[in-house]
C-alpha cells in the first residue's frame, strides 16, 4: 500500500511538472522541444502536432496548420508538394475518430499504402496518431513515431496525456500569434462533433439525430 501511495505521489508530481513545462512554452520552437524532451524516453524519434485541415484549405497554406513537429524536412516538403493531406490515413482518422490509430494497423488493413511506404523511407515506419478536439470545432492530430516506440500500457497512457497537453498548448500559442484558422460550425456539425467526442459511431449518431449515415459523414 505504501509503495502504491508513493507511485501515485510520483505520478502526480511528474504530471504537475509536465504541465508547468508546457505552460512555459511561448513559441512553436518551445513546444517542439518540450514534446521532444518528454517523448524521447518512450522511444519517440519524431513527432508532429497539427490542426487537421478540411478539403477547402489551399495546398500552399497547409504547412501553416503544423503547430509543432520534428518530421524530416525532406519528407515534409514531399508531403505538402504532393498534397498527401488528402489521402493520408492518419489525417482521415483524426478527422473522423477519437481513438488512437497505430500505423501498423492501417498498413495491415491496406489503407494509405503509398504514403505509409514513402514515409518509412524517411524513418517514419512505426508510430501512432492521437486525435484531439476542441469544442469550437478544431480537430487536431498528434503523431509520434519511432522504431522502438514503447507500446506498454503505461507509455501509451503517457502519450495520450502528452498529446492532449501538446495540442492544448499548441492552440494557445497559435491563437496568441493569430495563426489559428477560423472555423465556423453549423448547429448540425456541432451536434455530430459532440456525439463523436462521446464515442458514438457514425451509425449511432445518425440514429440519434435522425439523419442518414452519409449525412453524418458529410457533416464531419
Amino acid at each position: 500500500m505504501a509503495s502504491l501511495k508513493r507511485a501515485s505521489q510520483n505520478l502526480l508530481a511528474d504530471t504537475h511538472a509536465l504541465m508547468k513545462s508546457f505552460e512555459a512554452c511561448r513559441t512553436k520552437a518551445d513546444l517542439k522541444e518540450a514534446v521532444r524532451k518528454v517523448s524521447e524516453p518512450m522511444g519517440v524519434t519524431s513527432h508532429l502536432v497539427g490542426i487537421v485541415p478540411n478539403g477547402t484549405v489551399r495546398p500552399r497554406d497547409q504547412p501553416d496548420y503544423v503547430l509543432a513537429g520534428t518530421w524530416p524536412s525532406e519528407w515534409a516538403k514531399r508531403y505538402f508538394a504532393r498534397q498527401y493531406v488528402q489521402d493520408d490515413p492518419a489525417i482521415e482518422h483524426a478527422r473522423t475518430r477519437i481513438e488512437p490509430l497505430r500505423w501498423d494497423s492501417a498498413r495491415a488493413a491496406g489503407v494509405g499504402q503509398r504514403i505509409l511506404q514513402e514515409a518509412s523511407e524517411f524513418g517514419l515506419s512505426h508510430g501512432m496518431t492521437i486525435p484531439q478536439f476542441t469544442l469550437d470545432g478544431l480537430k487536431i492530430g498528434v503523431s509520434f513515431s519511432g522504431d522502438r516506440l514503447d507500446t506498454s500500457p503505461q507509455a501509451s497512457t503517457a502519450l495520450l496525456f502528452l498529446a492532449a497537453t501538446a495540442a492544448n498548448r499548441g492552440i494557445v500559442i497559435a491563437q496568441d500569434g493569430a495563426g489559428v484558422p477560423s472555423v465556423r460550425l453549423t448547429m448540425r456539425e456541432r451536434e455530430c462533433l459532440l456525439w463523436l467526442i462521446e464515442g458514438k459511431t457514425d451509425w449511432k449518431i445518425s440514429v440519434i439525430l435522425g439523419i442518414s449515415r452519409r449525412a453524418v459523414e458529410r457533416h464531419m
Side-chain angles (χ1 to χ4, degrees), residues 182-193:
S182 176
V183 177
R184 290 184 174 85
L185 298 182
T186 65
M187 181 62 70
R188 184 64 82 191
E189 288 171 337
R190 187 176 294 274
E191 289 175 332
C192 289
L193 177 59

Side-chain angles (χ1 to χ4, degrees), residues 75 107 112-122 124-125:
W75 167 242
R107 187 177 289 108
Q113 292 296 309
R114 177 183 176 184
I115 294 176
L116 292 172
Q117 176 58 40
E118 290 189 27
S120 68
E121 297 171 8
F122 292 86
L124 304 173
S125 299

